[in-house]
Amino acid sequence: MSRVKRNLNDEPHMDITVARQKLAELSDLAETRALTDTERDELRSAEEYVRKAADSAAALAALIDKPGSTEPGSDPGPKSGDAPRARRTGGEARDTAMRHLDAAVGADAMPARAAEKIESMIDAGERSGNSLAARWAAAGSDPAYLSAFMKAISGERGTLLWTPAEQAAYARVERVRSEMRALGATGAGSAGAFQVPTIIDPAIRISSDGSLSPLRELAEVRQEIGHEFRPVTSAHVTNAWYAEHGTVADGSPTLESPSIVSHRASSFVPFSFEYESATYGGAMGDLTRLLADGYDQLTAAAFWSGNGTTQPEGLWTGIDGTASELAPAVAETFDVDADPYAVQNDLGPRFQPNAVWLANVATINALSAAETTNGAPRYPRVGDENPVLLRKRLYEHSEMPGSDDINAAATADNPVLVYGDLKRAYTIVDFAGSTVELVPHLFDAANGNMPSGQRGLLLWARVGAGVVMPGAVRVLNVATTA
């Protein structure tokens, strides 16, 4: 009888196909004559193996339905909370990237949501697990490259401290970046600069936590490799009822493909010579925080009022002058009792289910103070810890003008309320591959341009944003004229 290496109990066993075949043969034979002792032993062995195989299949099916579980005796890899699992199907580069990310999340060196962003970017592109995105993620997330990067930015001669593994990791990153440059991917940076390791890349780690702008939480945020993103949108599809045998009219939707191009966002981080002697963990934490905070601060304003030519297009910039811009009930006045209802009622039913509000804190306070004629709060839940206005969540956006900024004696736009489905209306694209260069010495201009005892990191990343579906949002603009 055929044998293979192991059975469910790590003992030699018959192949499952042979076991089933033998079981059928011996069962048929038992109906015609008495089995020999050897045949009875083989029958019992085949029955036992098939039973164990069935039990194992049932147990495995139960484990698959229970997230985080693994079959006893398997190697699950590093624990990573909600991070993507390393052992999913895919090419070699994808699997390598997932292992690196799992390890980083398990060591609390990277948020799980950041790892999920990278996985989504890999899976949203080419089907191959060895795609450019997968190879970029695998090379940039290698722990050896992270240590090589930290040594390189510690001083002009930091590269001399590289181990062979770190040198090899750097070479892999450079090969991918060379390919990205050849394809015109602006995030690849120039030769001589260093790609920021994936686990501390602000374009990957950035979130809405502590941000001036909630748009990263509410809009669609994508990670792409390249320099331009073209989403396809449509206002609606024409539908109609027809009589029997009625000819169907052409209901083709009008497809639009707005272009979201990348813009360079730069940050400069000076640090003292003493910083180089900081512990590895402390230096890593400070660097990550500074890079992410600088990137967040820079982009927050652009996501509201960026000009769309030298900066990402802001939400208000894309809505200004369109049919989605609404005027107040009373010119040059924010009517706290009537305007919120008018804004909400103007949004189409298609976008109402996922609609939210945006407002400056001054506008939120004005809404919270509004009362009905009998002195009851007009919007009782606006003052809650998680504010709600007219049954929809209200978010503070500090880049917006507040109701207290309205000045009838000046000519100005005052977009004080936003309402709509922001995930449909606005898209932010972080183009993967932040880059830094070390400035080895800074000079003090006030003291004869003498060295100041500092070095600097010049970071640049590529980000784009734009309004892709204006009809999904409404903005109340209390315009004034001097």
Side-chain angles (χ1 to χ4, degrees), residues 188-271:
S190 61
F194 292 95
Q195 176 181 305
V196 179
T198 306
I199 69 169
I200 62 172
D201 190 336
I204 298 298
R205 293 177 62 100
I206 197 72
S207 73
S208 62
D209 297 345
S211 174
L212 295 169
S213 169
L215 285 175
R216 280 193 173 274
E217 176 184 352
L218 302 174
E220 180 181 9
V221 179
R222 300 179 62 96
Q223 277 71 40
E224 298 286 338
I225 286 184
H227 65 279
E228 184 177 13
F229 174 65
R230 286 184 174 272
V232 177
T233 64
S234 173
H236 61 85
V237 176
T238 302
N239 302 290
W241 297 102
Y242 298 95
E244 185 175 358
H245 303 303
T247 301
V248 177
D250 183 3
S252 301
T254 301
L255 299 179
E256 299 178 358
S257 183
S259 174
I260 298 178
V261 299
S262 66
H263 300 277
R264 190 184 74 186
S266 295
S267 300
F268 184 68
V269 181
F271 59 92

Side-chain angles (χ1 to χ4, degrees), residues 10 25 27 29 70 88 116 274 288 316 337 400 414 478:
D10 295 332
E25 292 175 354
S27 297
L29 186 61
T70 56
R88 295 181 180 173
E116 290 165 358
E274 289 74 16
T288 301
W316 165 239
D337 295 328
M400 294 176 60
N414 297 285
V478 185

Side-chain angles (χ1 to χ4, degrees), residues 175-365:
R175 283 195 293 270
V176 174
R177 294 201 328 140
S178 295
E179 185 176 351
M180 291 171 65
R181 283 192 290 269
L183 295 174
T186 52
S190 61
F194 292 95
Q195 176 181 305
V196 179
T198 306
I199 69 169
I200 62 172
D201 190 336
I204 298 298
R205 293 177 62 100
I206 197 72
S207 73
S208 62
D209 297 345
S211 174
L212 295 169
S213 169
L215 285 175
R216 280 193 173 274
E217 176 184 352
L218 302 174
E220 180 181 9
V221 179
R222 300 179 62 96
Q223 277 71 40
E224 298 286 338
I225 286 184
H227 65 279
E228 184 177 13
F229 174 65
R230 286 184 174 272
V232 177
T233 64
S234 173
H236 61 85
V237 176
T238 302
N239 302 290
W241 297 102
Y242 298 95
E244 185 175 358
H245 303 303
T247 301
V248 177
D250 183 3
S252 301
T254 301
L255 299 179
E256 299 178 358
S257 183
S259 174
I260 298 178
V261 299
S262 66
H263 300 277
R264 190 184 74 186
S266 295
S267 300
F268 184 68
V269 181
F271 59 92
S272 67
F273 291 169
E274 289 74 16
Y275 179 85
E276 298 177 36
S277 62
T279 62
Y280 178 78
M284 174 66 68
D286 289 343
L287 178 62
T288 301
R289 176 180 57 80
L290 289 172
L291 292 179
D293 182 66
Y295 187 78
D296 194 14
Q297 298 287 332
L298 182 66
T299 57
F303 292 157
W304 173 249
S305 57
N307 58 31
T309 54
T310 59
Q311 308 167 352
E313 181 185 64
L315 176 63
W316 165 239
T317 308
I319 295 299
D320 188 11
T322 70
S324 294
E325 178 187 349
L326 304 180
V330 179
E332 301 189 344
T333 304
F334 175 49
D335 189 337
V336 72
D337 295 328
D339 286 339
Y341 292 97
V343 172
Q344 187 175 63
N345 292 343
D346 196 75
L347 187 68
R350 177 185 179 191
F351 305 110
Q352 290 283 358
N354 297 314
V356 297
W357 296 91
L358 296 180
N360 182 284
V361 66
T363 307
I364 294 175
N365 288 337

Side-chain angles (χ1 to χ4, degrees), residues 83-84 98 101-102 105 110-120 204:
M98 293 300 100
L101 297 177
D102 263 353
V105 174
M110 183 182 200
R113 63 177 177 268
E116 290 165 358
K117 286 182 182 180
I118 298 175
E119 182 184 28
S120 297
I204 298 298

